[in-house]
Amino acid sequence: MFVVCDICQVNISTAQEYDRHMCGKRHQARLKSYEERKKQSNCSVFVKGFPPGTKDIELENYFSYFGKVKHVFFDKQHNKVKGRSFAIIEYEAPNSAQIALSYKSHVLNSEHLIVRPRDFKELQTTPYFPWQKEKERQQLPWSNYEEPNQIGAFGQQRQQFNMGRGHFGNKGRGQYGNMGPGQYGNMGPGQYGNMGPRQYGNVGQGQYGNMGQAQYGNMQQGQYGNMGDPYGEDMGFGNQGYMSFYGEGEEQTQEEIAKRKKDIEKQKIQKLQKERAKKEEEEQLPITLEELNQYMQQKMVIGISNQMNTMIELLQVTPEELQQRYTICKTLEDALSPFFPGVAINQFGSSVNGFGIRGCDMDVYLDLSKIGIPCRSAKIQLPYHRDIRSVKKNAGPFNQEEVDSMSNYDKVKLISRILIEHAPSCHNTLTVPSNRCPLIRFQHEVSGIKCDLSVNNKLALQNTRLLQTYSLFDQRVKPLIYAVRYWAKVKGLAGNPKAGNQLSNYALTWMVLYYLMNTKPSLVPTVEYLASLCGNDRTWIDCWDCSFVAAQMIPSSKNIQTTEELLHGFFSYYGSFDFRASCICVRTGLIIPVAKMVLDKTMKVGVVNIQDPFVLNHNITLNVNDKMASKISQELKIAETKSKTWFDVKFAETKSITDIFNDIVPEGLNLDAVNKTVDASGLVLGKYQFLVPMKTQNMTPIKLRELEEEGDIYLGWCKRMVKFIYGLIERVLMFDCEIRTTNLPEEFHKKTRTYDHSKKVKLATTGVKRGPDSTDEVTNAKKSKTEENKVIEDKKPSANSENTEEQKNKNPQCQVDARKEDSEVPMETSGAEGKVPEGPVDPFDAEIDFSKNEIFLDMDVLVFLRIWAERKKIGNKLKERGFQESIELEQTISETLYYDYLKPSRRPILEFRLIIRSDVKPGMASSLLVEAISRPGMKEYDAVFHFVKKFVLKAVEKWF
Ligand code: UTP
């Protein structure tokens, strides 16, 4: 007789051999690897159905919605063949995989994804008799429990082989064990079978155990469901639970239930996500919001300014921590000076700039520019250096020449090895390559302080001193920066400068200082002014003027605002700041239009632009993306509204600094409106409006120069954009456009096609069978109304007989009227037949005042073909034949649909009015507001508007 070890795929024939096998290295290693794989599998989901060419970052971004993603693995075929492939998403926690699996409608790039648990072949982790496994396969699991003798026998045999805690053992003593065979036996296999292993696993033992046999037998689905979590589909009885959620009497369609269920699931996931992110952010803070609140209440700190001062006490780096930081510097010096005699260890960043928060990272700069004579005579051996190209090969300390000949990255690699060998308290040492500033990152063992060590950062040292100067110059600077840093941290806006999209604390500090340069009167001077005070005694680093005077030399400010006023002022100033169009220049204290920055090639521009005070070609906020910029603007507006109440006597007793940190949305502030407020002018978009902003940061200097040569960059852009959008609607989407009014010459709205709809009418009326008409249901729905309207039309005097061509050309409104009557089927009108409609004017016909818009175009758009239907399918087919994504391809898709697939309807499916108008902020920015207006009750209007909006915005982004 022998037992089988599943893990090692071997047979073990004796007890002696068994012991040896189980303790053996190979078995242990395989067991460990199996458990790791199992863990990995539990944390992963299998995904397929995404479009070919999907990038791992897209999947990662999407699946991060359910938890922190560790890895994305594609199958080997991905990118090699054009076809479908699959991917495995591995999360950091199994819970995230469960959440992703419980979500039932995954859509990425408009494709529904199939998300399944990752396959994993379960093995028995302890050896078993071959017949045991066979029996297990043949029989239903519970049948074992009805045969106590057999269990006993297994148990005995297991004991012989030390297998007491095996597969069966766990079950026997666990959930199943609590259920008597009788109780369980009453449940038919069908019922049991409905519960998949995963579902069953999620049902807590307690819940299940509490259900007596009788209860279960008598219960209706609904009653049973009450015990379930109405949210949890992955609980065994979630479905029934959900049904009962509405009560038996209420009739809910399956769709409604599914929709509601989906919403609830979504909300639950969002809530979890939010809580997790918030917790992570809070964990990095020395004092949580709750603790801060409690502290303020207990100590009865009254008044915002006082509370801001208290925050400094609570947040700033303690003297003990400063001492620890000093000790780290000493450790570094001791380890490095034998190799680099005379090395100087300088701290920079928040540890020393006056704005440091307890536990913050420590930034250290090693100055290797003053290597001296070694003071110790002992010979030193350089650590392993085969991959360090520029390092000298012999033993002994470096001299200046040798240090200077090394590349920065080689220096960093060498120093990292020296630290590993000679500074054991520096843990988890890691080199971070970078062209600009390679780093060594480590954690100090005793204090837990994380440290970034660099070798080429004189500029950082100098800007740290500059920040220090500002912090010492006026006592209001520090509380303000602490409060803003804390606010930004709890809101997830700042603090991860290395790789993320948030603002760096350095950038945030400069945002505050820039605001203080622009208060009236200014509270702090500009960097340029500080440099001017140096006279000819200038400091140059890497060709940049880095001069400034000490705080004591600066004339004090005449500004008398309180920190409370200043904090509100900060939120208010940036709450309506146009980040996309303006570049903050802290050196001069001025705003420079982004377009100018691009034209002058001063620095690379992004969504948010703040120029470094010394290195003028460095944009310190280049990492901030669109989403983060919108989040920053939104939080600024919320904080502005909240802090405004501080100046209302009603709230004099209750106001607290924590108001701006909590998640409460102030009454009267419509978050929707805040989200839809798209620019500094506070324009709130309506349901059928969208904005096309001029994204100067994406434009090349050549393009901008062309616009400049045309007279005005911003107006020039508007004109070209109107032409582009008109082309998209009229030429690419093949909608029939008729201009009502515009101030642009014809070359900007040139008609490329004329549609002969009258011919189609003839065909239809002469009884020739029409081709497949995709508008049949609309047509039928309108049929009776159409008949009526036709009669009315016949009774009406002819429009053409009244309006001469000349009149039409003079009066754009006449064009509209003529057009309406020309169209074969009149659109539904809101007024009563034959009467002048009473009440407010239908916006479809309303006169619009364009006097405030530099450029405008108002037109009627008739849609005769569902150009959006099957668009994707045709597009994919064409792409498979080698067509590249382009505006020409979009036009080909439309034409294919028009001529080969859909066949245009003889009646318009829809008519809407499309208005495009400019919003120019002279010398700074511009955008186009696109608005669609339809008559009331227009079917498909919503769908068409959203299609047009998405199409136009995508096309602008890609092809303008
Ligand atoms: P941080 O953004 O880390 O700022 O930059 P901080 O004030 O130290 O805040 P913590 O560490 O997040 O609490 C650290 C230093 O790096 C330099 C500056 O000297 C800054 O003080 N730095 C940072 C630059 O020179 N340029 C940058 O774009 C960013």
Side-chain angles (χ1 to χ4, degrees):
M1 187 46 100
F2 60 88
V3 286
V4 182
C5 174
D6 243 6
I7 298 290
C8 305
Q9 293 288 301
V10 290
N11 299 337
I12 305 166
S13 53
T14 64
Q16 218 177 15
E17 210 183 301
Y18 174 85
D19 284 340
R20 210 174 315 127
H21 177 82
M22 294 300 278
C23 302
K25 266 191 198 161
R26 195 178 65 165
H27 176 79
Q28 291 300 330
R30 288 191 175 176
L31 185 64
K32 197 172 159 212
S33 134
Y34 167 79
E35 270 157 7
E36 266 163 23
R37 272 185 289 123
K38 186 172 178 179
K39 199 171 144 210
Q40 203 179 24
S41 161
N42 284 340
C43 293
S44 314
V45 292
F46 167 92
V47 183
K48 68 175 193 178
F50 45 82
T54 302
K55 298 209 169 62
D56 50 359
I57 190 73
E58 290 176 82
L59 284 173
E60 184 177 337
N61 284 346
Y62 173 77
F63 281 95
S64 311
Y65 181 61
F66 308 99
K68 200 159 180 195
V69 173
K70 202 166 162 193
H71 290 297
V72 175
F73 306 99
F74 277 113
D75 68 322
K76 290 191 188 110
Q77 296 305 311
H78 189 72
N79 294 334
K80 281 192 191 157
V81 287
K82 277 190 180 174
R84 303 276 151 173
S85 59
F86 66 85
I88 301 288
I89 312 293
E90 190 189 331
Y91 285 100
E92 296 216 328
N95 190 25
S96 312
Q98 288 295 326
I99 298 174
L101 287 167
S102 68
Y103 189 63
K104 289 288 177 270
S105 180
H106 294 278
V107 179
L108 179 67
N109 295 342
S110 317
E111 294 278 349
H112 279 276
L113 303 181
I114 298 167
V115 179
R116 290 203 304 250
R118 186 176 174 183
D119 282 344
F120 182 73
K121 190 170 180 262
E122 288 267 2
L123 299 175
Q124 274 191 221
T125 51
T126 45
Y128 56 90
F129 289 106
W131 49 266
Q132 234 174 312
K133 179 100 170 187
E134 200 45 41
K135 192 155 191 79
E136 199 190 341
R137 269 200 214 111
Q138 283 167 7
Q139 295 185 349
L140 292 169
W142 58 82
S143 55
N144 289 325
Y145 299 93
E146 289 163 8
E147 296 172 56
N149 290 339
Q150 216 177 342
I151 294 174
F154 282 0
Q156 268 174 13
Q157 279 142 2
R158 260 185 245 119
Q159 257 177 359
Q160 266 181 11
F161 287 95
N162 300 329
M163 296 185 345
R165 283 151 53 80
H167 184 61
F168 284 74
N170 282 339
K171 281 188 179 173
R173 305 261 168 269
Q175 296 153 333
Y176 286 82
N178 291 335
M179 295 184 267
Q183 288 170 331
Y184 208 63
N186 288 338
M187 290 164 68
Q191 287 164 317
Y192 188 80
N194 286 340
M195 298 189 280
R198 191 168 60 82
Q199 291 166 326
Y200 188 80
N202 289 336
V203 180
Q205 193 181 342
Q207 287 166 320
Y208 198 86
N210 289 339
M211 295 188 286
Q213 177 200 352
Q215 276 175 324
Y216 189 80
N218 293 333
M219 268 192 226
Q220 303 295 321
Q221 274 192 341
Q223 287 169 314
Y224 189 80
N226 284 335
M227 296 171 72
D229 177 353
Y231 298 113
E233 193 195 281
D234 58 355
M235 299 192 60
F237 295 89
N239 282 333
Q240 291 97 321
Y242 195 78
M243 297 289 280
S244 65
F245 190 65
Y246 292 102
E248 269 180 58
E250 256 179 83
E251 274 194 29
Q252 297 279 329
T253 65
Q254 283 298 101
E255 270 170 34
E256 279 170 333
I257 292 171
K259 192 172 172 296
R260 174 118 173 82
K261 194 171 164 189
K262 217 163 121 185
D263 287 350
I264 293 172
E265 263 174 22
K266 210 169 161 184
Q267 278 167 17
K268 196 182 171 189
I269 293 168
Q270 274 172 354
K271 206 173 145 203
L272 271 172
Q273 289 273 1
K274 226 172 154 181
E275 276 168 12
R276 192 180 307 141
K278 208 167 163 55
K279 212 172 146 209
E280 274 172 20
E281 292 288 348
E282 281 210 356
E283 272 167 10
Q284 291 169 21
L285 283 167
I287 176 162
T288 65
L289 186 51
E290 212 178 310
E291 288 162 352
L292 184 69
N293 226 337
Q294 271 174 11
Y295 187 90
M296 296 293 182
Q297 279 171 9
Q298 274 169 11
K299 301 273 169 186
M300 301 214 310
V301 190
I302 311 287
I304 304 293
S305 296
N306 289 338
Q307 290 176 344
M308 285 167 77
N309 287 332
T310 307
M311 277 184 74
I312 303 181
E313 288 164 29
L314 296 172
L315 294 174
Q316 74 182 348
V317 181
T318 59
E320 296 77 45
E321 210 178 307
L322 284 176
Q323 180 59 41
Q324 282 169 338
R325 284 163 197 262
Y326 172 75
T327 313
I328 297 174
C329 290
K330 194 82 191 71
T331 310
L332 290 174
E333 194 181 333
D334 289 347
L336 295 170
S337 52
F339 299 87
F340 303 100
V343 60
I345 317 282
N346 299 295
Q347 279 193 66
F348 67 97
S350 61
S351 301
V352 284
N353 66 13
F355 308 119
I357 289 185
R358 258 169 25 208
C360 65
D361 291 359
M362 179 177 163
D363 298 295
V364 177
Y365 155 60
L366 292 189
D367 188 353
L368 299 171
S369 65
K370 292 180 190 108
I371 299 293
I373 316 269
C375 51
R376 291 179 211 176
S377 53
K379 277 218 160 191
I380 53 129
Q381 183 68 43
L382 290 179
Y384 167 82
H385 56 71
R386 198 187 297 159
D387 63 330
I388 302 175
R389 280 185 292 149
S390 47
V391 77
K392 61 175 190 165
K393 303 285 182 276
N394 55 334
F398 286 88
N399 60 36
Q400 189 67 59
E401 210 179 315
E402 286 163 341
V403 168
D404 292 345
S405 68
M406 284 177 84
S407 73
N408 279 332
Y409 188 45
D410 279 352
K411 282 181 204 162
V412 159
K413 279 199 282 190
L414 185 68
I415 290 167
S416 154
R417 284 176 202 162
I418 296 174
L419 292 184
I420 291 170
E421 286 181 17
H422 300 273
S425 59
C426 300
H427 272 220
N428 305 330
T429 311
L430 182 82
T431 52
V432 183
S434 145
N435 284 341
R436 207 169 146 252
C437 184
L439 291 176
I440 303 159
R441 194 163 282 169
F442 66 84
Q443 188 165 21
H444 187 241
E445 188 193 13
V446 186
S447 58
I449 294 172
K450 288 187 187 138
C451 188
D452 282 348
L453 201 150
S454 51
V455 290
N456 178 28
N457 233 342
K458 263 194 187 153
L459 281 157
L461 197 65
Q462 189 72 353
N463 64 36
T464 297
R465 288 183 188 140
L466 178 61
L467 290 180
Q468 222 171 19
T469 304
Y470 277 114
S471 87
L472 295 171
F473 166 67
D474 192 291
Q475 56 180 5
R476 288 166 289 180
V477 174
K478 218 167 161 173
L480 201 59
I481 288 179
Y482 268 95
V484 171
R485 275 193 174 204
Y486 191 86
W487 164 80
K489 188 82 197 155
V490 285
K491 298 292 170 197
L493 308 176
N496 72 336
K498 300 293 170 324
N501 305 318
Q502 295 180 353
L503 290 165
S504 67
N505 275 321
Y506 178 66
L508 187 68
T509 308
W510 279 113
M511 260 176 86
V512 180
L513 290 171
Y514 175 81
Y515 159 69
L516 295 178
M517 289 171 194
N518 285 280
T519 50
K520 293 205 168 55
S522 60
L523 195 140
V524 300
T526 63
V527 179
E528 203 163 68
Y529 177 73
L530 296 187
S532 72
L533 293 180
C534 293
N536 289 333
D537 186 15
R538 299 276 164 150
T539 306
W540 294 88
I541 302 174
D542 298 347
C543 311
W544 299 108
D545 183 0
C546 301
S547 326
F548 59 92
V549 290
Q552 308 85 287
M553 313 285 285
I554 311 169
S556 53
S557 164
K558 293 195 170 59
N559 185 303
I560 50 159
Q561 284 174 282
T562 62
T563 44
E564 178 180 357
E565 286 164 347
L566 290 167
L567 185 56
H568 169 67
F570 170 82
F571 292 127
S572 170
Y573 181 81
Y574 285 110
S576 52
F577 191 85
D578 195 344
F579 284 105
R580 284 172 182 83
S582 329
C583 174
I584 294 172
C585 180
V586 290
R587 187 161 185 92
T588 55
L590 297 172
I591 290 291
I592 301 177
V594 169
K596 187 164 166 35
M597 283 296 201
V598 178
L599 273 172
D600 298 350
K601 298 187 188 162
T602 315
M603 66 176 196
K604 217 170 162 187
V605 293
V607 189
V608 178
N609 303 286
I610 304 179
Q611 191 186 37
D612 190 82
F614 298 142
V615 186
L616 302 182
N617 64 4
H618 177 41
N619 180 356
I620 59 175
T621 42
L622 202 58
N623 61 320
V624 178
N625 64 5
D626 254 312
K627 205 171 156 195
M628 184 50 68
S630 306
K631 191 174 170 191
I632 294 169
S633 293
Q634 183 188 314
E635 290 296 348
L636 282 163
K637 280 186 190 118
I638 294 174
E640 179 194 354
T641 316
K642 286 180 171 181
S643 56
K644 205 171 168 188
T645 61
W646 294 342
F647 307 95
D648 187 336
V649 279
K650 260 197 316 203
F651 302 103
E653 306 235 313
T654 53
K655 66 182 179 183
S656 162
I657 182 83
T658 54
D659 295 343
I660 54 165
F661 305 139
N662 63 35
D663 286 336
I664 300 168
V665 179
E667 246 177 70
L669 182 75
N670 180 355
L671 253 195
D672 249 16
V674 170
N675 290 339
K676 284 181 185 167
T677 307
V678 287
D679 68 359
S681 59
L683 178 71
V684 178
L685 293 179
K687 190 176 172 193
Y688 298 108
Q689 291 181 327
F690 64 93
L691 202 86
V692 184
M694 176 177 173
K695 292 193 176 169
T696 327
Q697 73 268 21
N698 298 344
M699 295 170 77
T700 60
I702 299 171
K703 213 167 189 177
L704 281 173
R705 185 84 56 211
E706 273 172 29
L707 292 173
E708 199 183 32
E709 278 160 14
E710 279 172 26
D712 182 297
I713 292 178
Y714 304 96
L715 266 183
W717 176 86
C718 286
K719 281 185 199 165
R720 286 187 181 202
M721 185 55 89
V722 171
K723 189 174 173 178
F724 182 75
I725 297 176
Y726 176 85
L728 287 176
I729 309 270
E730 197 271 341
R731 185 172 55 86
V732 180
L733 292 181
M734 300 177 77
F735 292 163
D736 196 358
C737 299
E738 202 69 50
I739 301 295
R740 288 189 186 210
T741 175
T742 180
N743 59 353
L744 285 169
E746 206 194 333
E747 54 168 303
F748 288 86
H749 49 85
K750 207 167 182 173
K751 225 169 152 67
T752 56
R753 306 167 206 267
T754 42
Y755 299 91
D756 187 3
H757 304 298
S758 59
K759 203 172 163 198
K760 289 183 186 299
V761 175
K762 252 186 210 158
L763 283 176
T765 46
T766 48
V768 178
K769 209 175 170 205
R770 277 192 291 137
D773 186 349
S774 52
T775 59
D776 276 352
E777 70 288 12
V778 181
T779 319
N780 291 339
K782 286 183 183 166
K783 209 169 178 181
S784 54
K785 194 137 198 170
T786 309
E787 302 291 338
E788 279 172 41
N789 285 337
K790 266 204 160 11
V791 179
I792 302 160
E793 282 298 299
D794 292 342
K795 283 182 190 165
K796 275 188 188 171
S798 155
N800 292 342
S801 64
E802 282 187 19
N803 294 324
T804 61
E805 276 304 309
E806 206 183 330
Q807 274 174 318
K808 276 191 219 170
N809 292 339
K810 271 186 194 161
N811 181 0
Q813 194 60 42
C814 292
Q815 289 182 6
V816 180
D817 297 337
R819 171 62 183 268
K820 261 187 278 166
E821 295 178 9
D822 280 343
S823 66
E824 187 227 342
V825 181
M827 311 305 296
E828 293 172 51
T829 52
S830 52
E833 292 160 15
K835 287 181 197 164
V836 179
E838 284 170 14
V841 186
D842 180 352
F844 191 83
D845 294 325
E847 289 260 9
I848 292 178
D849 176 13
F850 289 113
S851 60
K852 288 199 186 101
N853 306 111
E854 300 77 4
I855 282 160
F856 56 88
L857 184 143
D858 183 358
M859 62 182 175
D860 283 319
V861 181
L862 282 184
V863 181
F864 283 88
L865 181 77
R866 284 187 171 78
I867 208 83
W868 54 94
E870 305 204 46
R871 195 169 185 86
K872 203 169 179 108
K873 197 171 104 186
I874 307 292
N876 285 341
K877 273 189 189 170
L878 290 170
K879 276 186 220 160
E880 272 165 28
R881 284 168 50 195
F883 282 79
Q884 295 294 318
E885 236 188 275
S886 66
I887 201 155
E888 286 73 29
L889 173 65
E890 291 299 334
Q891 191 169 335
T892 310
I893 296 172
S894 300
E895 283 164 0
T896 312
L897 283 164
Y898 196 95
Y899 297 112
D900 301 344
Y901 278 80
L902 299 172
K903 301 277 188 292
S905 158
R906 69 191 180 89
R907 300 179 180 123
I909 301 162
L910 179 76
E911 179 181 17
F912 61 91
R913 180 178 177 182
L914 197 80
I915 301 157
I916 309 173
R917 52 179 132 178
S918 63
D919 175 21
V920 176
K921 279 181 228 97
M924 279 310 289
S926 65
S927 48
L928 285 183
L929 178 68
V930 183
E931 179 177 10
I933 303 172
S934 126
R935 292 185 182 283
M938 274 285 174
K939 285 191 180 178
E940 308 204 41
Y941 174 51
D942 263 39
V944 175
F945 173 76
H946 286 109
F947 163 72
V948 170
K949 176 180 164 184
K950 210 170 149 192
F951 185 83
V952 168
L953 290 177
K954 183 181 147 194
V956 167
E957 195 74 35
K958 288 193 167 173
W959 302 304
F960 177 69

